[in-house]
């Protein structure tokens, strides 16, 4: 399938629809991403609405300086980062997610990752967990956008899908009970594919690890000459 622009309005609108907002208000699913061929991917609403778990903490302990959580959802990571002493900001296109993140005491803004963000070019770390590497349906475009957000010596902590997959698809949010939202572009990308796409987009893989059957990368942008930026 031809990749769709990550900035199209339907992508942001999809996370404002009732199935997602209702699930966050209730703190539980069921909630799915439904492909146009009918295939369903269950979304882990209960985990998102809980506290940071052991796998999350392996990521958060690798963060440096100020941290921006891209697609922060209901804010468990932003809250945990604040508890660790990091200045942290969550970004999410869903008003319900931002509201819940703020209720937890985290700082969060309702906007797209592709909108102008505070302190662009100065963040020490960025986070893309819980499938958010798929935002916009084009991982390389998203990785390019994250380079603009980070400081030159910043790092990206990203999560890969637990299967060897690389697909760009159109999906909709579905509550399993007849409620659904508009179609929007999404991507799923496993460990080998994320490694390949990161290198193609100008990132150095600093580290790969797994915890509780979740798979993570620590990435650093390369400079224009192909070398990693040195910490200032």
């Amino acid at each position: 399938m031809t990749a769709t622009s990550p900035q199209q309005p339907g992508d942001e609108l999809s996370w404002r629809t009732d199935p997602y907002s209702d699930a966050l208000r209730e703190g539980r699913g069921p909630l799915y991403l439904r492909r146009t061929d009918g295939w369903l991917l269950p979304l882990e609403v209960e985990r998102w609405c809980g506290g940071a778990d052991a796998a999350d903490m392996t990521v958060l302990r690798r963060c440096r300086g100020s941290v921006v959580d891209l697609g922060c959802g209901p804010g468990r990571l932003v809250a945990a980062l604040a508890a660790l002493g990091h200045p942290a900001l969550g970004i999410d296109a869903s008003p319900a997610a931002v509201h819940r993140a703020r209720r937890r005491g985290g700082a969060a803004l309702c906007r797209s990752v592709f909108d102008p963000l505070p302190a662009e070019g100065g963040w020490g770390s960025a986070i893309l967990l819980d499938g958010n590497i798929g935002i916009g349906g084009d991982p390389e475009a998203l990785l390019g956008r994250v380079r603009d957000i980070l400081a030159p010596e910043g790092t990206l902590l990203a999560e890969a899908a637990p299967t060897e997959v690389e697909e760009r698809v159109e999906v909709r949010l579905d509550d399993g009970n007849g409620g659904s939202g508009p179609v929007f572009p999404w991507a799923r990308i496993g460990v080998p594919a994320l490694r390949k796409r990161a290198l193609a987009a100008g990132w150095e893989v600093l580290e790969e690890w797994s915890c509780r059957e979740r798979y993570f990368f620590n990435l650093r942008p390369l400079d224009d000459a192909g070398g990693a930026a040195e910490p200032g």
Side-chain angles (χ1 to χ4, degrees):
M1 178 178 296
T2 302
T4 310
S5 168
Q7 301 185 52
Q8 71 173 20
D11 192 9
E12 181 174 348
L13 177 64
S14 61
W15 298 98
R16 298 173 180 264
T17 56
D18 285 343
Y20 185 61
S21 299
D22 291 346
L24 291 189
R25 278 192 292 268
E26 295 292 329
R28 57 184 173 82
L31 187 67
Y32 306 91
L33 288 182
R34 179 187 287 274
R35 269 190 335 216
T36 52
D37 63 4
W39 179 87
L40 293 174
L41 175 68
L43 300 179
E44 298 181 81
V45 178
E46 291 86 351
R47 181 171 66 80
W48 298 349
C49 290
D53 63 18
D56 294 328
M57 294 306 296
T58 68
V59 174
L60 303 188
R61 292 191 182 102
R62 288 168 165 85
C63 289
R64 304 187 317 192
S66 59
V67 186
V68 59
D69 181 5
L70 304 172
C72 68
R76 78 185 191 283
L77 302 179
V78 174
L81 283 163
L84 291 172
H86 287 279
L89 176 67
I91 302 296
D92 205 287
S94 163
V98 169
H99 176 70
R100 183 153 182 156
R102 289 173 176 170
R103 278 177 50 199
R104 298 184 72 150
L109 291 178
C110 186
R111 63 185 64 178
S112 166
V113 171
F114 295 95
D115 289 338
L117 301 181
E120 284 204 18
W123 291 94
S125 298
I127 295 175
L128 282 170
L129 300 192
D130 303 328
N132 286 333
I133 190 67
I135 290 172
D138 187 340
E140 283 194 36
L142 181 58
L143 288 167
R145 172 64 181 135
V146 176
R147 286 186 63 133
D148 295 336
I149 294 169
L150 285 175
E153 69 278 6
T155 57
L156 168 62
L157 289 306
E159 182 174 359
T163 57
E164 291 196 20
V165 62
E166 183 175 13
E167 63 176 10
R168 300 179 183 185
V169 295
E170 291 186 342
V171 296
R172 65 174 73 239
L173 289 160
D174 190 304
D175 66 8
N177 296 303
S180 63
V183 172
F184 62 98
W186 197 254
R188 289 199 308 142
I189 185 166
V191 170
L194 181 51
R195 186 186 305 119
K196 176 182 176 181
R197 295 301 170 191
L199 292 172
W203 294 81
E204 176 188 14
V205 178
L206 297 177
E207 188 180 6
E208 300 178 32
W209 74 98
S210 64
C211 182
R212 293 189 173 182
E213 299 184 350
R214 293 171 64 194
Y215 299 86
F216 305 102
F217 283 77
N218 189 350
L219 304 170
R220 179 169 57 181
L222 298 171
D223 62 24
D224 292 339
E230 293 297 328

